[in-house]
Amino acid sequence: MTDLNKTLHKWGASLRKGTDFDSWGQLVEAIDEYQILARQLQKEAQSPANSSHLSEDQKKTIGKIATCLGLRSAALQSTQSQEGFTLEDVKKLEPILSSILTFNKEFPFDVQPVPLRRILAPGEEENLEVEEEEEDGGAGVRSPDSFPVRVPGAVQGTLLPRLPSEPGMTLLTIKIEKIGLKDAGQCIDPYITVSVKDLNGIDLTPVQDTPMASRKEDTYVHFNVEIEIQKHVEKLTKGSAIFFEFKHYKPKKRFTSTKCFAFMEMDEIKSGSIVVELYKKPTDFKRKKLQLLTKKPLYLHLNQTLLKE
């Protein structure tokens, strides 16, 4: 079996796994599976011609499948009653993905691949830009309608529902209220990525993105959104931390970049309000080389709720 066939087999298995979870009502697992596969497909769809075994038409189809998976993830997370992209719709993607090398029919859904608008890994943007804390203005004067469309689901976020309760176990809900930034008003499409990492920077739970900020005011970007941490507090390993990466879109560079980050350690998990300091990028998940973003009294404002059976 060639490397390409192995990859296609892996993608097919991942999609079937996602639809299985979906049909069983295991929404957290289904969303996670769909999002992981969507990222893999999007990466392949946007890969340079000399590094891909797929034709441009095949990559476009792959990109459309990634868009559909994003739409299904958003539908599963939506609290609205209207029906979005359905499980039956997703199942129509399986034969397309499995026969991608020979597929030559019209794609069954009116969607487009995600535009080449990169979301960079932590630190990657350091290779592409100089520090832009003082970058010239203009970002705040363009009409939002003129900005490229974000990844499907990004407007709504990729938040996951609360875990089932277990006797003796504590659930943690963190409300992200607002973040203080001197240039808050100039941030385009701002959102926060929340992750739980161990001491080595390894994910302990699925990564979640908030919806775009609800409003910007003076030196604050307001979110007022609740994050359900996807692990009971008692099951978090010693030394782990919850990270909050503030991200925004840069139209001149055409990518979404991490502006700064914050984190909360295990001894800070307690009911009530907390403000945490902001640090300069790149995000240091191992917490070895931390540098404050500013000396001004600007912080990430959170409120924690602990629920124990």
Side-chain angles (χ1 to χ4, degrees):
M1 185 180 288
T2 66
D3 288 344
L4 177 58
N5 284 329
K6 287 179 182 177
T7 299
L8 295 176
H9 180 76
K10 181 180 177 183
W11 288 344
S14 182
L15 182 55
R16 287 190 295 274
K17 190 175 179 182
T19 55
D20 283 346
F21 283 135
D22 202 342
S23 63
W24 299 333
Q26 294 179 238
L27 303 189
V28 174
E29 293 83 355
I31 290 168
D32 200 25
E33 203 67 42
Y34 287 149
Q35 290 178 349
I36 289 171
L37 179 57
R39 284 195 292 270
Q40 293 172 348
L41 296 179
Q42 185 183 333
K43 183 178 180 181
E44 179 64 34
Q46 296 182 352
S47 62
N50 60 2
S51 65
S52 175
H53 296 291
L54 299 177
S55 69
E56 290 305 307
D57 283 344
Q58 289 166 349
K59 288 198 292 184
K60 187 174 182 180
T61 300
I62 288 286
K64 289 182 178 182
I65 294 174
T67 297
C68 292
L69 293 175
L71 292 173
R72 180 57 183 161
S73 295
L76 289 176
Q77 296 168 69
S78 175
T79 58
Q80 305 301 316
S81 58
Q82 76 263 25
E83 192 165 334
F85 206 83
T86 68
L87 171 59
E88 292 308 310
D89 291 335
V90 178
K91 288 183 176 179
K92 294 176 184 177
L93 302 174
E94 292 185 23
I96 300 174
L97 187 58
S98 63
S99 63
I100 191 66
L101 297 179
T102 56
F103 180 77
N104 58 3
K105 300 177 183 177
E106 185 175 351
F107 197 76
F109 305 105
D110 185 17
V111 298
Q112 292 300 317
V114 175
L116 187 57
R117 172 175 179 168
R118 292 180 295 163
I119 298 178
L120 302 181
E124 187 179 347
E125 67 266 20
E126 300 302 311
N127 299 321
L128 299 174
E129 60 173 320
V130 295
E131 182 62 43
E132 295 185 18
E133 288 298 308
E134 306 295 337
E135 68 182 343
D136 52 337
V141 299
R142 294 179 60 186
S143 162
D145 293 336
S146 66
F147 304 138
V149 177
R150 284 226 9 223
V151 176
V155 174
Q156 302 95 336
T158 58
L159 301 183
L160 298 171
R162 180 176 294 174
L163 291 175
S165 58
E166 292 183 17
M169 294 285 114
T170 306
L171 293 168
L172 172 60
T173 302
I174 300 177
K175 183 176 184 179
I176 301 178
E177 296 178 340
K178 61 184 179 180
I179 186 172
L181 298 165
K182 62 182 180 182
D183 55 351
Q186 294 184 2
C187 295
I188 299 172
D189 291 359
Y191 67 101
I192 291 177
T193 296
V194 182
S195 58
V196 183
K197 311 278 188 182
D198 67 12
L199 272 172
N200 296 313
I202 305 300
D203 282 315
L204 298 177
T205 68
V207 176
Q208 303 182 65
D209 289 335
T210 70
M212 287 184 201
S214 56
R215 63 189 174 97
K216 294 173 280 189
E217 177 183 66
D218 299 327
T219 55
Y220 288 103
V221 178
H222 294 261
F223 288 92
N224 292 313
V225 64
E226 292 186 341
I227 312 293
E228 301 292 346
I229 299 303
Q230 300 294 301
K231 212 173 193 59
H232 294 94
V233 174
E234 290 81 2
K235 296 180 181 179
L236 294 174
T237 56
K238 184 178 180 180
S240 54
I242 302 169
F243 283 83
F244 307 86
E245 298 174 89
F246 180 84
K247 299 178 179 180
H248 64 130
Y249 180 58
K250 296 189 173 182
K252 292 181 182 178
K253 305 285 185 178
R254 292 189 66 80
F255 62 73
T256 296
S257 171
T258 301
K259 182 176 182 65
C260 60
F261 72 98
F263 62 87
M264 194 175 70
E265 297 184 318
M266 293 302 96
D267 60 355
E268 296 174 299
I269 294 179
K270 55 192 72 173
S271 290
S273 297
I274 182 174
V275 294
V276 291
E277 295 174 313
L278 304 175
Y279 296 94
K280 289 184 178 180
K281 62 183 180 183
T283 309
D284 181 10
F285 292 123
K286 295 184 180 180
R287 292 162 272 161
K288 300 288 187 183
K289 300 177 181 178
L290 300 172
Q291 188 175 2
L292 287 173
L293 178 68
T294 177
K295 294 180 181 178
K296 296 180 180 180
L298 298 172
Y299 306 97
L300 177 64
H301 295 249
L302 308 170
N303 193 294
Q304 302 179 78
T305 302
L306 295 171
L307 181 63
K308 189 170 186 176
E309 276 290 293

Coordinates of all heavy atoms in Angstrom, one line a residue, residues 44-99:
E44 N -3.9 19.3 3.5 CA -3.7 18.7 2.2 C -4.2 19.6 1.1 O -3.5 19.7 0.1 CB -4.3 17.3 2.2 CG -4.1 16.6 0.9 CD -2.6 16.2 0.6 OE1 -1.9 16.0 1.6 OE2 -2.2 16.3 -0.6
A45 N -5.4 20.1 1.3 CA -6.0 20.9 0.2 C -5.2 22.2 -0.1 O -5.1 22.7 -1.2 CB -7.4 21.3 0.6
Q46 N -4.5 22.7 0.9 CA -3.7 23.9 0.7 C -2.2 23.7 0.5 O -1.4 24.6 0.5 CB -3.9 24.8 1.9 CG -5.4 25.3 2.1 CD -5.6 26.2 3.2 OE1 -4.7 26.5 4.1 NE2 -6.7 26.8 3.3
S47 N -1.8 22.4 0.4 CA -0.4 22.1 0.2 C 0.1 22.4 -1.2 O -0.7 22.4 -2.2 CB -0.2 20.6 0.4 OG -0.9 19.8 -0.5
P48 N 1.4 22.8 -1.3 CA 1.9 23.2 -2.7 C 1.8 22.0 -3.6 O 1.9 20.8 -3.2 CB 3.4 23.5 -2.3 CG 3.4 23.8 -0.9 CD 2.3 23.0 -0.3
A49 N 1.7 22.3 -4.9 CA 1.6 21.2 -5.9 C 2.8 20.2 -5.9 O 2.6 19.0 -6.1 CB 1.5 21.8 -7.3
N50 N 4.0 20.7 -5.6 CA 5.1 19.8 -5.6 C 5.3 18.9 -4.3 O 6.2 18.1 -4.2 CB 6.4 20.6 -5.8 CG 6.6 21.6 -4.7 OD1 5.9 21.7 -3.7 ND2 7.7 22.4 -4.8
S51 N 4.3 19.1 -3.4 CA 4.4 18.3 -2.1 C 3.2 17.5 -2.0 O 2.9 16.9 -0.9 CB 4.6 19.2 -0.9 OG 3.5 20.0 -0.7
S52 N 2.3 17.4 -3.0 CA 1.1 16.6 -2.9 C 1.0 15.6 -4.1 O 1.4 15.9 -5.2 CB -0.1 17.5 -2.9 OG -1.3 16.8 -2.9
H53 N 0.4 14.5 -3.8 CA 0.2 13.5 -4.8 C -1.2 13.6 -5.5 O -1.6 12.9 -6.4 CB 0.3 12.1 -4.3 CG 1.7 11.7 -3.7 ND1 2.7 11.6 -4.6 CD2 2.1 11.6 -2.5 CE1 3.8 11.3 -3.8 NE2 3.5 11.3 -2.6
L54 N -2.0 14.6 -5.0 CA -3.3 14.9 -5.5 C -3.3 16.0 -6.6 O -2.5 16.9 -6.5 CB -4.3 15.2 -4.4 CG -4.5 14.1 -3.3 CD1 -5.4 14.7 -2.2 CD2 -5.0 12.9 -3.9
S55 N -4.2 15.9 -7.5 CA -4.3 17.0 -8.5 C -5.0 18.2 -7.8 O -5.6 18.1 -6.8 CB -5.2 16.5 -9.7 OG -6.5 16.3 -9.3
E56 N -5.0 19.3 -8.5 CA -5.6 20.5 -8.0 C -7.1 20.3 -7.8 O -7.7 20.8 -6.9 CB -5.3 21.7 -8.9 CG -3.9 22.2 -8.8 CD -3.4 22.5 -7.4 OE1 -4.1 23.3 -6.7 OE2 -2.4 21.9 -7.0
D57 N -7.8 19.6 -8.8 CA -9.2 19.4 -8.7 C -9.5 18.4 -7.5 O -10.5 18.6 -6.8 CB -9.7 18.7 -10.0 CG -9.9 19.7 -11.1 OD1 -9.9 20.9 -10.8 OD2 -10.0 19.3 -12.3
Q58 N -8.6 17.5 -7.3 CA -8.8 16.5 -6.1 C -8.6 17.3 -4.8 O -9.4 17.1 -3.9 CB -7.8 15.4 -6.3 CG -8.2 14.4 -7.4 CD -7.0 13.5 -7.7 OE1 -5.9 13.6 -7.3 NE2 -7.4 12.4 -8.5
K59 N -7.7 18.2 -4.8 CA -7.4 19.0 -3.6 C -8.6 19.9 -3.3 O -9.0 20.2 -2.2 CB -6.1 19.7 -3.7 CG -4.9 18.9 -3.6 CD -3.6 19.6 -3.2 CE -3.2 20.5 -4.4 NZ -1.9 21.2 -4.1
K60 N -9.2 20.4 -4.4 CA -10.4 21.3 -4.2 C -11.5 20.5 -3.6 O -12.2 21.0 -2.7 CB -10.8 21.9 -5.5 CG -11.9 22.9 -5.4 CD -12.2 23.6 -6.7 CE -13.3 24.7 -6.6 NZ -13.6 25.3 -7.9
T61 N -11.7 19.3 -4.0 CA -12.8 18.4 -3.5 C -12.5 18.1 -2.0 O -13.4 18.1 -1.2 CB -12.9 17.1 -4.3 OG1 -13.2 17.4 -5.7 CG2 -14.0 16.2 -3.7
I62 N -11.2 17.8 -1.7 CA -10.8 17.5 -0.3 C -11.1 18.8 0.5 O -11.6 18.7 1.7 CB -9.3 17.2 -0.3 CG1 -9.0 15.9 -0.9 CG2 -8.7 17.3 1.2 CD1 -9.4 14.7 0.0
G63 N -10.8 19.9 0.0 CA -11.1 21.2 0.7 C -12.6 21.4 1.0 O -13.0 21.9 2.0
K64 N -13.4 21.0 0.0 CA -14.9 21.1 0.2 C -15.4 20.1 1.3 O -16.3 20.5 2.1 CB -15.6 20.8 -1.1 CG -15.4 21.9 -2.2 CD -16.2 21.6 -3.4 CE -16.1 22.7 -4.4 NZ -16.9 22.4 -5.7
I65 N -14.8 18.9 1.3 CA -15.1 18.0 2.4 C -14.8 18.6 3.7 O -15.5 18.5 4.7 CB -14.4 16.6 2.1 CG1 -15.0 16.0 0.9 CG2 -14.6 15.7 3.4 CD1 -14.2 14.7 0.5
A66 N -13.6 19.2 3.8 CA -13.2 19.8 5.1 C -14.2 20.9 5.5 O -14.6 21.0 6.7 CB -11.8 20.4 4.9
T67 N -14.7 21.7 4.5 CA -15.7 22.7 4.8 C -16.9 22.1 5.4 O -17.5 22.5 6.4 CB -16.0 23.5 3.5 OG1 -14.9 24.2 3.1 CG2 -17.1 24.5 3.8
C68 N -17.4 21.0 4.8 CA -18.6 20.3 5.2 C -18.4 19.8 6.7 O -19.4 19.8 7.5 CB -18.9 19.1 4.3 SG -19.5 19.6 2.6
L69 N -17.3 19.2 7.0 CA -17.0 18.7 8.3 C -17.1 19.9 9.3 O -17.5 19.7 10.5 CB -15.7 18.0 8.4 CG -15.6 16.7 7.6 CD1 -14.2 16.1 7.6 CD2 -16.6 15.7 8.1
G70 N -16.5 21.0 8.9 CA -16.6 22.2 9.8 C -18.1 22.6 10.0 O -18.4 23.0 11.1
L71 N -18.9 22.5 9.0 CA -20.3 22.9 9.1 C -21.0 21.9 10.0 O -21.9 22.3 10.8 CB -20.9 22.9 7.7 CG -20.5 24.0 6.8 CD1 -21.1 23.8 5.4 CD2 -20.8 25.4 7.3
R72 N -20.7 20.6 9.9 CA -21.3 19.7 10.8 C -20.9 19.9 12.2 O -21.8 19.8 13.1 CB -21.0 18.2 10.3 CG -21.6 17.1 11.2 CD -23.1 17.3 11.3 NE -23.8 16.3 12.2 CZ -25.0 16.4 12.7 NH1 -25.7 17.5 12.4 NH2 -25.5 15.5 13.5
S73 N -19.7 20.2 12.5 CA -19.2 20.5 13.8 C -19.9 21.7 14.4 O -20.4 21.7 15.6 CB -17.7 20.8 13.8 OG -17.0 19.6 13.4
A74 N -20.1 22.7 13.6 CA -20.8 23.9 14.0 C -22.3 23.6 14.3 O -22.8 24.1 15.3 CB -20.7 25.0 13.0
A75 N -22.9 22.7 13.5 CA -24.3 22.4 13.7 C -24.5 21.6 15.0 O -25.4 21.8 15.8 CB -24.8 21.5 12.5
L76 N -23.5 20.7 15.3 CA -23.6 19.9 16.6 C -23.4 20.8 17.8 O -23.9 20.5 18.9 CB -22.5 18.8 16.6 CG -22.8 17.7 15.6 CD1 -21.6 16.7 15.6 CD2 -24.1 16.9 15.9
Q77 N -22.7 21.9 17.7 CA -22.4 22.8 18.8 C -23.5 23.9 18.9 O -23.5 24.6 19.9 CB -21.1 23.5 18.6 CG -19.9 22.5 18.7 CD -18.6 23.1 18.3 OE1 -18.1 23.9 18.9 NE2 -18.1 22.7 17.1
S78 N -24.3 24.1 17.9 CA -25.3 25.2 17.9 C -26.4 24.9 18.9 O -26.9 23.8 19.0 CB -25.8 25.4 16.5 OG -26.8 26.4 16.5
T79 N -26.8 25.9 19.6 CA -27.9 25.8 20.5 C -29.2 26.2 19.8 O -30.3 26.2 20.4 CB -27.7 26.7 21.7 OG1 -27.5 28.1 21.3 CG2 -26.5 26.3 22.5
Q80 N -29.1 26.6 18.5 CA -30.3 27.0 17.8 C -31.1 25.8 17.3 O -30.5 24.7 17.1 CB -29.9 27.9 16.6 CG -29.0 29.1 16.9 CD -29.7 30.0 17.9 OE1 -30.9 30.3 17.7 NE2 -29.0 30.5 18.9
S81 N -32.4 26.0 17.1 CA -33.2 24.9 16.7 C -33.1 24.6 15.3 O -33.5 23.5 14.8 CB -34.7 25.2 17.1 OG -35.1 26.4 16.5
Q82 N -32.7 25.5 14.4 CA -32.7 25.3 13.0 C -31.7 24.2 12.6 O -30.7 24.1 13.3 CB -32.5 26.5 12.2 CG -31.0 27.0 12.2 CD -30.8 28.1 13.2 OE1 -31.5 28.1 14.2 NE2 -29.8 28.9 13.0
E83 N -32.0 23.4 11.6 CA -31.2 22.3 11.3 C -30.1 22.8 10.3 O -30.4 23.5 9.4 CB -32.0 21.2 10.6 CG -31.3 19.9 10.4 CD -32.2 18.8 10.1 OE1 -33.4 18.9 10.5 OE2 -31.8 17.8 9.5
G84 N -28.9 22.4 10.6 CA -27.8 22.8 9.7 C -27.3 21.6 8.9 O -28.2 20.8 8.4
F85 N -26.1 21.4 8.8 CA -25.5 20.3 8.1 C -25.8 19.0 8.9 O -25.4 18.9 10.0 CB -24.0 20.5 7.9 CG -23.4 19.8 6.7 CD1 -23.5 20.4 5.4 CD2 -22.8 18.6 6.8 CE1 -23.0 19.8 4.3 CE2 -22.3 17.9 5.7 CZ -22.4 18.5 4.4
T86 N -26.4 18.0 8.2 CA -26.9 16.8 9.0 C -25.9 15.7 8.9 O -25.0 15.6 8.1 CB -28.2 16.4 8.4 OG1 -28.0 15.9 7.1 CG2 -29.2 17.5 8.4
L87 N -26.2 14.7 9.8 CA -25.4 13.4 9.8 C -25.6 12.7 8.4 O -24.6 12.2 7.9 CB -25.9 12.5 10.9 CG -25.3 11.1 10.9 CD1 -23.8 11.1 11.0 CD2 -25.9 10.3 12.0
E88 N -26.8 12.7 7.9 CA -27.0 12.1 6.5 C -26.2 12.8 5.5 O -25.7 12.2 4.5 CB -28.5 12.1 6.2 CG -29.4 11.2 7.1 CD -28.8 9.8 7.2 OE1 -28.5 9.2 6.1 OE2 -28.7 9.3 8.3
D89 N -26.0 14.1 5.6 CA -25.2 14.9 4.7 C -23.7 14.4 4.8 O -23.1 14.2 3.7 CB -25.3 16.4 4.9 CG -26.6 17.0 4.6 OD1 -27.3 16.4 3.8 OD2 -27.0 18.0 5.2
V90 N -23.3 14.2 6.0 CA -21.9 13.8 6.2 C -21.7 12.4 5.6 O -20.6 12.2 5.0 CB -21.5 13.8 7.7 CG1 -20.1 13.3 7.9 CG2 -21.6 15.2 8.3
K91 N -22.6 11.5 5.7 CA -22.5 10.2 5.2 C -22.3 10.2 3.7 O -21.8 9.3 3.1 CB -23.7 9.3 5.6 CG -23.7 9.0 7.1 CD -24.8 8.1 7.5 CE -24.7 7.6 9.0 NZ -25.9 6.8 9.4
K92 N -22.9 11.2 3.0 CA -22.7 11.3 1.6 C -21.3 11.6 1.2 O -20.9 11.5 0.0 CB -23.6 12.4 1.0 CG -25.1 12.1 1.2 CD -26.0 13.2 0.7 CE -27.5 12.9 0.9 NZ -28.3 14.1 0.5
L93 N -20.5 12.1 2.2 CA -19.1 12.4 1.9 C -18.2 11.2 1.8 O -17.1 11.2 1.2 CB -18.5 13.4 2.9 CG -19.3 14.7 3.1 CD1 -18.7 15.5 4.3 CD2 -19.2 15.5 1.9
E94 N -18.6 10.1 2.5 CA -17.8 8.9 2.7 C -17.4 8.3 1.3 O -16.2 8.1 1.1 CB -18.5 7.9 3.5 CG -18.6 8.3 5.0 CD -19.2 7.2 5.9 OE1 -19.1 6.0 5.5 OE2 -19.8 7.5 6.9
P95 N -18.3 8.1 0.4 CA -17.9 7.5 -0.9 C -17.1 8.4 -1.7 O -16.2 8.0 -2.5 CB -19.3 7.2 -1.6 CG -20.3 8.0 -0.9 CD -19.8 8.2 0.5
I96 N -17.3 9.7 -1.5 CA -16.4 10.7 -2.3 C -15.0 10.7 -1.8 O -14.1 10.6 -2.6 CB -17.0 12.2 -2.1 CG1 -18.4 12.2 -2.6 CG2 -16.1 13.2 -2.8 CD1 -19.1 13.6 -2.4
L97 N -14.8 10.6 -0.5 CA -13.5 10.6 0.1 C -12.8 9.3 -0.3 O -11.6 9.3 -0.6 CB -13.5 10.8 1.6 CG -12.2 10.9 2.3 CD1 -11.4 12.1 1.8 CD2 -12.4 11.1 3.8
S98 N -13.5 8.2 -0.2 CA -12.9 6.9 -0.5 C -12.5 6.7 -2.0 O -11.6 5.9 -2.3 CB -13.8 5.8 -0.1 OG -15.0 5.8 -0.8
S99 N -13.2 7.5 -2.8 CA -12.9 7.4 -4.3 C -12.3 8.7 -4.8 O -12.5 8.9 -6.0 CB -14.2 7.0 -5.0 OG -15.1 8.0 -4.9

